[in-house]
Amino acid sequence: DEFGALIYEEMDYVAEALNADKFQELYGDMEGIKVPKVHWKHTRRKVLTLEWVNGVRLDSAPARKPELVKTLLHCSLKQMLGNGFFHADPHGGNLLVTDVGKLCFLDFGMMSHVAPKQRYGIILAVVHLVNRDWEAMVNLYVRLGFIPLGTDTKVIVKALEDGLPDVMDATVADFNFTSVIKELGSIM
């Protein structure tokens, strides 16, 4: 299964090092982003050696948080919508704020790819989410294959209407993308 394959791949540090190199190539030159270099001479299947980066966890760096969130959002959008190759585990322990204020990505074991058709679907889903056009969002999910053809979508539209207003009324400071995904997941 896909989860088992991801876990196995995450334990292969050569694969993780290749992911780090690809991430560096695609996003390492973005303003405010740091990607540690792989030391290939000392990297093997069971040993990953990366450049040491001084810094603190993102969730421990409140003074620069608005600027860093903007950098993270910009980089995440480029990952998901630009190249399609994205870091699938960007939590506080995998993101450092460097001594010079850059956002440093760590742990490249869980990476994934978004196909061009899916990228367009993500853009449309965000538009429908912002506009609270639940019917259009459900129809998009049917077209993308997330909801099987023939499903009674009226029930799903109603569940979205009832379930997402609390999430969407959150302030920018309180907005949590994970809570939106969790709410969508519980509805679907």
Side-chain angles (χ1 to χ4, degrees), residues 63-124:
R64 302 180 61 97
K65 213 169 241 184
E67 178 186 323
L68 294 166
V69 168
K70 182 179 175 184
T71 300
L72 178 60
L73 179 62
H74 185 243
C75 187
S76 296
L77 288 173
K78 186 170 181 178
Q79 290 173 55
M80 298 291 285
L81 303 177
N83 299 304
F85 181 71
F86 69 95
H87 194 295
D89 195 22
H91 58 78
N94 288 342
L95 296 165
L96 291 180
V97 180
T98 69
D99 294 345
V100 295
K102 289 189 174 191
L103 187 63
C104 179
F105 282 80
L106 302 172
D107 190 352
F108 301 93
M110 289 183 52
M111 307 296 285
S112 195
H113 190 267
V114 180
K117 180 181 176 183
Q118 292 168 321
R119 289 182 228 163
Y120 181 70
I122 290 169
I123 294 169
L124 285 177

Side-chain angles (χ1 to χ4, degrees), residues 151-163:
T151 301
D152 180 8
T153 58
K154 290 179 185 136
V155 175
I156 299 171
V157 169
K158 177 72 173 130
L160 287 168
E161 288 170 354
D162 294 344

Side-chain angles (χ1 to χ4, degrees), residues 37-83:
K37 291 175 180 52
V38 176
H39 293 288
W40 282 103
K41 183 178 178 182
H42 304 289
T43 296
R44 303 287 179 273
R45 187 176 179 282
K46 295 192 183 250
V47 177
L48 174 61
T49 309
L50 297 174
E51 164 191 12
W52 179 263
V53 178
N54 286 322
V56 297
R57 290 172 54 118
L58 175 61
D59 53 10
S60 299
R64 302 180 61 97
K65 213 169 241 184
E67 178 186 323
L68 294 166
V69 168
K70 182 179 175 184
T71 300
L72 178 60
L73 179 62
H74 185 243
C75 187
S76 296
L77 288 173
K78 186 170 181 178
Q79 290 173 55
M80 298 291 285
L81 303 177
N83 299 304

Side-chain angles (χ1 to χ4, degrees), residues 12 19 24 31 35 48 50 58 79 87 92 97 107 113-114 126-129 131-132 137 141 145 153 156 165 172 178:
D12 180 354
N19 286 338
Q24 165 63 39
E31 185 176 334
V35 181
L48 174 61
L50 297 174
L58 175 61
Q79 290 173 55
H87 194 295
V97 180
D107 190 352
H113 190 267
V114 180
V126 169
V127 168
H128 298 322
L129 186 67
N131 291 329
R132 299 179 188 213
M137 180 180 273
Y141 285 172
T153 58
I156 299 171
V172 173
T178 304

